Amino acid sequence: MLFFLITCFSFVLFHKFLSLKPLPQWACEMRLITPWFWKDFPFFLVIKWINNSLSVSITLIPSKMSIKKAALASKVENVELNGDMSLLDLPELVLECILERLPPDGLCRMAGVCSSLRERCMSDYLWEKHMKQKWGGIIDSAAFREWQFHVASRKDLSFFEQGNQRGLMGYLYKLWPLSLVRSNFENNSTRKNSLPVDSIMHWYLALEAGKFWFPAQVYNRENGHVGFMLSCYDAKLNYDPHTGTFEARYPPHGRRSVALESGVTWDRIRAPPVGTSPHDLHISDCLNELCPGDHIEIQWRRNKEFPYGWWYGVIGHLGSCDGNHSHCRCHESDMVVLEFNQYVPGSRWRCTTINRKDHREKGNEVDGFYGGMRKIHSTHEISTWKRLWPAEVLE
């Protein structure tokens, strides 16, 4: 009885299936085949094909289901892995590459995440690149020595304690825990995660905050005063983070007090090309190789009480030379002609001569004193001097 019911139910479903879908064209054509064909048709082949098909289908179903389950499990594992993974789980080289590409304010933000990232983001290796990119053109070893003396004398980080900072220092003040940036010397105790006072990061942030006066040289001092055109003088500079310019403090000249200048732009500042003090005579090592057309800088001061400044000039031809390079023998003479073409012909500042074999400070209280000399080899330095050339010839 049960077998009969199952057979009837299967027939009804099969009948509905046939009623829903029309027969294909080949089925209609099959009715034209004679009964004699069906008489000799090998039905055992059909039955064998059906059995094989059913067995393959049954074995494939669980395998497909297992593949889907494996893919789903893999996705779940990936989600769980991504959920637990942090930046510190990245390979060391990858993490280092990421930190190298962060700007200074990005490093400050990253340093506030955890102690491990803080130590990495404070490393001199990362901050040395930023120091060279922004400050390398105006900072030299003398400025670094000045910074070391500054740190040793003050032993504090008071520049972090101001709440009205802008730019990078504003980020640092908001994002960096104040306890982190306290000096190691406070309370005579050290903290493992404190910002080292002798680190490059500390120096960079002090420069950015305008809390450190560093030595450098300024072109055309005192806002391009006519008496200092095409010269470069030593000064102490301090960065103003609000304007992006500098304040310059020039040493006193004789009885004259310290001169101050504000709004000094980046393109008017350079690191001293030589380590000679502005009060000392520079030892010239280029005199024997000077030829007409060479670009030079020479020390000059108004009187003995004044510091030296560096003045731009070129090597000219002797009066006995017609200027023809094919016949010029000026480079063989002991006398060297210095020309300052920013002055009109006939001006007492236009030209002077020195002895290349026995050069010392030369001059008087009227014309000033000429000191040591350096030859300019860099095309960048030459183009800088030409960019600063006065609009009108000076008298």
Side-chain angles (χ1 to χ4, degrees), residues 264-304:
V264 180
T265 54
W266 286 82
D267 58 347
R268 290 180 53 206
I269 304 173
R270 74 175 184 183
V274 295
T276 307
S277 167
H279 299 280
D280 298 333
L281 179 69
H282 176 67
I283 304 303
S284 306
D285 57 359
C286 62
L287 296 177
N288 292 328
E289 62 182 83
L290 292 177
C291 299
D294 287 343
H295 300 262
I296 56 98
E297 292 179 12
I298 188 169
Q299 288 178 311
W300 183 86
R301 59 181 174 179
R302 183 67 177 178
N303 57 52
K304 296 285 188 176

Side-chain angles (χ1 to χ4, degrees), residues 16 25 30-31 108 116 132 157 170 196 231 257 283 290 298 304 324 358 370:
K16 289 184 177 182
Q25 183 178 2
M30 289 291 290
R31 291 179 298 179
C108 290
S116 179
K132 289 181 179 179
L157 293 175
S231 67
S257 60
I283 304 303
L290 292 177
I298 188 169
K304 296 285 188 176
N324 189 330
D358 185 27
Y370 295 89

Side-chain angles (χ1 to χ4, degrees), residues 44-61:
F44 70 95
L45 295 177
V46 177
I47 296 172
K48 183 177 181 181
W49 176 80
I50 293 175
N51 291 334
N52 293 335
S53 300
L54 288 176
S55 62
V56 171
S57 300
I58 292 172
T59 55
L60 286 177
I61 289 176

